[in-house]
Amino acid sequence: MKQAVYAISDSSGETSAGFSRSMMAQFPEIEIKQRRFGFVQTTAELNHILQQAVVEDAILFYTLSHRELDEIVKDFTHRNNLLAFDILNPYLDRIGQRFQQHPSHEIGAARKLNAQYFDRIAAIDFAAENDDGKNPRSMLHADVVLLGISRTSKTPLSFFLANQHIKVTNLPLVPQAQLPPELWQVDPKKIVGLTNDEEVLQKIRQERMLAYGLQATTAYSDTAKIQAELDYADQLYQKLNCLVINVANKSIEEVASIITSELKLPI
């Protein structure tokens, strides 16, 4: 079964697109054809999209700060019997009632150049400058220190958390390499040890070798070597008494959520 899904917004459309994906993911037997329409500013543009929606019998998820555009969608979808979800204004109205204030309906208000924006940019710069153990001294100034052997998602996690204004540095663990003395000066409550299942790691490393045009079976993907690395990391985590997360079969978002929750980090 196929279904067209439209994410419509007068801003970037990230919210409507993400929300629609989350909702439709609950129906795995439905094959989704998602279309994203961002920065819709005129009634002509909106009407053109709505006419396409009728042809495809699309389900609409929309965030339109401009009230006139919002009302056009409501009226059109009602007259044409289209399933549509306003995932912005009903919530703004209820929050406004709670505080007896009117929402500004400012387009892209969440992306204004405020202090949070600059904090996020600073956190991203921090993650880039201190990726892969480049500057061990940075561990003393980080909100989170990620540890892990090769291919345990250290770098993508660092940048994902950085987008949530969290300063992260990561350190690759290699049994033969000497650990920087700064590691033992970090509060263990800020350290996260990442691990993985041996089978998952072997597959990931084999695919990495193939991507480089090399043989899949190398010392890098050898099961005995991988197990030795995992044991080394596990022993270190026990000494540090830090949070340990197995990233096998977990998304970056899921691991990041565990970290922010367990370390009680503001996001």
Side-chain angles (χ1 to χ4, degrees), residues 118-164:
F118 291 108
D119 285 345
R120 179 169 66 87
I121 297 301
I124 292 172
D125 287 343
F126 185 89
E129 292 168 2
N130 302 294
D131 184 38
D132 210 25
K134 289 177 185 174
N135 178 20
R137 292 292 302 172
S138 68
M139 290 191 289
L140 303 176
H141 307 289
D143 299 317
V144 178
V145 176
L146 299 178
L147 306 179
I149 65 174
S150 178
R151 313 263 52 99
T152 49
S153 304
K154 297 183 297 297
T155 295
L157 263 173
S158 293
F159 284 94
F160 188 91
L161 289 167
N163 270 284
Q164 300 182 44

Side-chain angles (χ1 to χ4, degrees), residues 28-58:
E29 295 183 2
I30 302 175
E31 183 181 343
I32 303 302
K33 176 189 173 184
Q34 187 183 60
R35 300 185 65 183
R36 179 168 164 177
F37 301 92
F39 301 102
V40 178
Q41 302 292 327
T42 67
T43 57
E45 185 180 6
L46 179 59
N47 282 321
H48 179 68
I49 295 168
L50 293 174
Q51 292 297 336
Q52 293 181 57
V54 172
V55 174
E56 296 193 85
D57 192 24

Side-chain angles (χ1 to χ4, degrees), residues 236-266:
L236 176 62
Y237 300 157
Q238 290 183 40
K239 288 180 183 178
L240 291 167
N241 192 29
C242 65
L243 172 66
V244 179
I245 302 175
N246 189 328
V247 302
N249 304 313
K250 288 185 176 68
S251 67
I252 295 297
E253 293 84 355
E254 186 177 357
V255 178
S257 178
I258 294 171
I259 291 172
T260 55
S261 176
E262 292 293 328
L263 272 57
K264 297 179 172 57
L265 296 168

Side-chain angles (χ1 to χ4, degrees), residues 10 41 64-71 88-89 105 107:
D10 46 19
Q41 302 292 327
L64 294 166
S65 298
H66 197 293
R67 278 296 194 179
E68 181 184 355
L69 299 181
D70 181 72
E71 291 300 324
L88 177 67
N89 289 301
H105 293 289
I107 297 172

Side-chain angles (χ1 to χ4, degrees), residues 6 20 25 33 64 67 79 99 113 118 162 171 194 254:
Y6 283 17
S20 64
K33 176 189 173 184
L64 294 166
R67 278 296 194 179
R79 287 188 289 105
F99 294 101
L113 298 182
F118 291 108
L171 178 69
L194 303 174
E254 186 177 357

